[in-house]
Amino acid sequence: MRALISTLTLLPVALIAQAPAPAAQAPASLSDQIKAQAPAIEALKKNDPAAALAKAEALIPAIAPVYNKTDFAKAQDSMGEFNALSDIYRTAASCADAAGQWEKAQDYATKAKAAAQANYDGAQQPFNAFKDSWKKAQAEAQKNLDEEATLAKVEKPTAEQVNRLAFLQHNQAVFQKNVDNGKAMVDAVDARLNLLKDQTNDFDPFIANITERLKSEAANLDKFKGDKKAFAAAALKGADAYKDKDQEVTYLRRLQVLDPSSKAIAHKIDVLLGKAKDEPVKRHTPRKKKSH
């Protein structure tokens, strides 16, 4: 989903004839799938995050992609796939968090970070090799331009020098293009590698936050001797402290995960979503038999 800037598809002019033909992209790539499904998943997440999570989980590949380091073009394709894999896990983590499934959210965020790290690690060799090819082409081109300038000043050149100068002048545009593009391409590759490195840290705040929430919840559960139902019932009474409705619904969904059987929690969620009126949940009480 984070595509390389178009200039990174360039090769040094002298190397174009040696470049392999670009491989056809697989029709059902991870990039295509997450791009197609993300809007629907995001729209569904607000009112039915569990269903959104199921859709996100369906995108997770049974077998993780392998980073293809054969050449720069294939590495770019792999970079796109690993970006997509990271985004799939990111989406799953977000949906799991909204659904109150904090353990899953933590797991998927950790996997998203791992995919981002694999993306950075996998790009090192092919991206740096591509960068080095530009550095070499730039240096060689500049050397040829310098030689051309020197030969042009020779007052009585030899026949060999005349032929050499003619060759250099004939290819001057190629040399100049490699010099002009060289620095831009090297800078672009460095910028991309730096961005991939930065992306490995994208998930740290979320992982730290949800880890702290789970730790705090575990401490509170200890006070209830591990009784999740009792804790959920007590926490429900204080849920109104949330001033933001969306935040309250999100927390109530966590309580619902702890006690799926609670009708009071389910009712409160429906009230906040406008699906029910704010009335107490009716409890069935057995009728007393009349005494004779």
Side-chain angles (χ1 to χ4, degrees), residues 159-178:
E160 183 180 350
Q161 288 175 324
V162 169
N163 290 335
R164 177 62 177 169
L165 179 59
F167 169 80
L168 294 173
Q169 289 174 335
H170 179 72
N171 291 282
Q172 183 180 15
V174 171
F175 302 142
Q176 191 61 56
K177 201 165 199 176
N178 284 341

Side-chain angles (χ1 to χ4, degrees), residues 86 94 97 105 123 126 167 171 173 207 231 233 278 284 286:
S86 187
S94 177
D97 189 30
F167 169 80
N171 291 282
I207 293 172
F231 168 70
D278 191 8
H284 175 73

